[in-house]
Amino acid sequence: MRMRGRVRAVRAPPSVDGRSGGFSVAVLAVAMTTLFVLKLAAFVQRNRSGLLAVSCAGIFGANIFYHAFPQQTFRTVYQCWSRGQPAELPEQLRSLFWEVLRDTDVRSAGNVQAFAAFGFQPVSAGIPWLPSGSLVGIPANFANATDDGQGVVNRVVMINGEEVDWHSEDGVHLKEALTLSKEAQKFSLAREVIYSQSSSPILQAAVAPTCLLGVSLSAVAVKQLLGLYSSPLLLRGLYNLAALVVGLVGYFLAYDAVSHWLDYRCDRRTAALSEDYARGGVEFYEKLLFRNRTLRKLMGKRGEEMYAPSGNLFPRYGFRLKQAPYTSRRDLIVKVLKLHQA
């Protein structure tokens, strides 16, 4: 007699291909990210006044740091070196610089120092009434560039990986553009001194925190006016994104506008010192435009992207123009020169 056994169904083991596990990890990551964003938004909402104040102060400090410690930041970048040592400023240029300080009537002349800088244009940084004072970098070629241009041609200038031939037609033009008279040199130095004396670095550093403060307060006011605090999270996020874009565009426009205003103001004040300074300013910008036109030709395609046919700089970031056009600045000084001659 045979006994019949029961047949039990045996289940197959679960699939271990990793699909369900990967999906679970993705869902968990999205959930954690969403939770973090919500907590961050709640934290910002509770402490927005303090965060706004700290952000504005931090941005201003970061922008002014370059001018607050010019010896440690600015000079290390622009210092001219000779045989492994910092180049000394010739006595001729020291005398020229002190003459400029007397003409500009600088009260704290001891807080304004000059050093030998590389390049062909003066540069400056710092705030005179701070302990570090301000620095003006004077190109070393200024010492003998007014005679026959030897201060220019005795230096090696590389363009597109090739040394400039000072005997070629373009080399002669570049040498002529870089050779400045004493009046033009004094104008370029006086302009840098007046720039630092008129608190221009502070005004430029204050643009970013001012824009941040204005956009934040305006965004909160508009959000309360439209009742968006009780609206869905997605709508509030889109509004915040739009406010951020408007704030960035406003900052770019405000920064460029302030930079242009400071450029024009410094040029006007420098040219107003005397007729010689105004005449030197016209020459300085004429030579600067001529130099840029020559570089546009020497640099080929890259020069055409950087310099306009007039000698002005093309905007580097589309609609942004950080510096006032050189042609406009020259025309402004021409008007001041006519007032001196009237």
Side-chain angles (χ1 to χ4, degrees), residues 263-275:
D263 287 337
Y264 290 133
R265 186 182 68 165
C266 291
D267 288 339
R268 186 184 300 107
R269 290 185 177 182
T270 307
L273 292 175
S274 68
E275 183 177 346

Side-chain angles (χ1 to χ4, degrees), residues 275 335-342:
E275 183 177 346
K335 294 179 181 179
V336 177
L337 179 60
K338 291 180 179 179
L339 293 177
H340 283 297
Q341 296 174 345

Side-chain angles (χ1 to χ4, degrees), residues 8-294:
R8 296 182 179 180
V10 180
R11 295 182 180 180
S15 175
V16 290
D17 58 356
R19 296 178 182 176
S20 59
F23 179 75
S24 301
V25 171
V27 171
L28 181 61
V30 172
M32 292 180 63
T33 303
T34 304
L35 181 61
F36 173 76
V37 171
L38 292 176
K39 288 185 176 181
L40 180 62
F43 175 79
V44 172
Q45 185 68 23
R46 291 193 306 268
N47 305 276
R48 59 187 179 188
S49 298
L51 290 175
L52 180 60
V54 172
S55 299
C56 292
I59 294 175
F60 180 79
N63 290 338
I64 206 66
F65 182 82
Y66 185 75
H67 296 279
F69 304 98
Q71 291 283 357
Q72 294 77 15
T73 57
F74 172 77
R75 186 164 186 171
T76 56
V77 175
Y78 288 97
Q79 175 69 57
C80 179
W81 293 78
S82 177
R83 298 178 181 179
Q85 298 293 329
E88 293 291 336
L89 195 65
E91 187 62 31
Q92 177 185 352
L93 293 184
R94 292 184 183 274
S95 301
L96 182 66
F97 183 68
W98 280 104
E99 185 178 345
V100 169
L101 292 181
R102 288 194 300 268
D103 293 341
T104 53
D105 194 21
V106 176
R107 298 179 181 178
S108 55
N111 290 338
V112 183
Q113 302 179 18
F115 68 97
F118 75 90
F120 295 100
Q121 282 185 228
V123 289
S124 65
I127 303 173
W129 44 266
L130 288 181
S132 299
S134 62
L135 294 176
V136 176
I138 305 178
N141 65 285
F142 268 32
N144 52 0
T146 58
D147 300 330
D148 53 358
Q150 290 301 315
V152 177
V153 299
N154 61 5
R155 306 176 66 183
V156 177
V157 178
M158 305 293 293
I159 297 180
N160 292 339
E162 298 181 0
E163 183 178 348
V164 174
D165 182 9
W166 297 110
H167 299 288
S168 64
E169 181 180 358
D170 293 332
V172 172
H173 290 167
L174 185 60
K175 170 187 172 182
E176 180 183 351
L178 295 175
T179 304
L180 301 177
S181 66
K182 182 179 179 180
E183 288 76 14
Q185 291 181 357
K186 290 178 64 176
F187 172 86
S188 63
L189 295 178
R191 187 190 180 281
E192 299 298 330
V193 173
I194 291 177
Y195 180 85
S196 61
Q197 292 289 323
S198 57
S199 301
S200 297
I202 297 178
L203 294 177
Q204 278 193 319
V207 173
T210 301
C211 290
L212 176 61
L213 180 62
V215 170
S216 300
L217 296 179
S218 301
V220 171
V222 173
K223 190 181 294 185
Q224 291 178 346
L225 182 64
L226 299 179
L228 295 179
Y229 282 104
S230 58
S231 61
L233 179 62
L234 179 60
L235 182 59
R236 283 181 288 167
L238 293 176
Y239 172 80
N240 293 333
L241 181 61
L244 177 62
V245 173
V246 172
L248 286 176
V249 174
Y251 162 70
F252 293 147
L253 296 177
Y255 185 89
D256 293 348
V258 171
S259 297
H260 290 192
W261 177 72
L262 292 175
D263 287 337
Y264 290 133
R265 186 182 68 165
C266 291
D267 288 339
R268 186 184 300 107
R269 290 185 177 182
T270 307
L273 292 175
S274 68
E275 183 177 346
D276 290 338
Y277 274 96
R279 189 179 296 107
V282 175
E283 178 192 343
F284 175 74
Y285 283 116
E286 286 286 359
K287 291 291 185 71
L288 190 57
L289 291 168
F290 184 39
R291 184 200 69 180
N292 291 348
R293 291 194 297 267
T294 305

Side-chain angles (χ1 to χ4, degrees), residues 316-333:
R316 182 177 298 181
Y317 303 106
F319 66 93
R320 294 202 62 186
L321 186 60
K322 294 185 178 182
Q323 293 181 338
Y326 295 135
T327 50
S328 300
R329 296 160 75 170
R330 177 202 57 193
D331 296 341
L332 173 65
I333 300 176

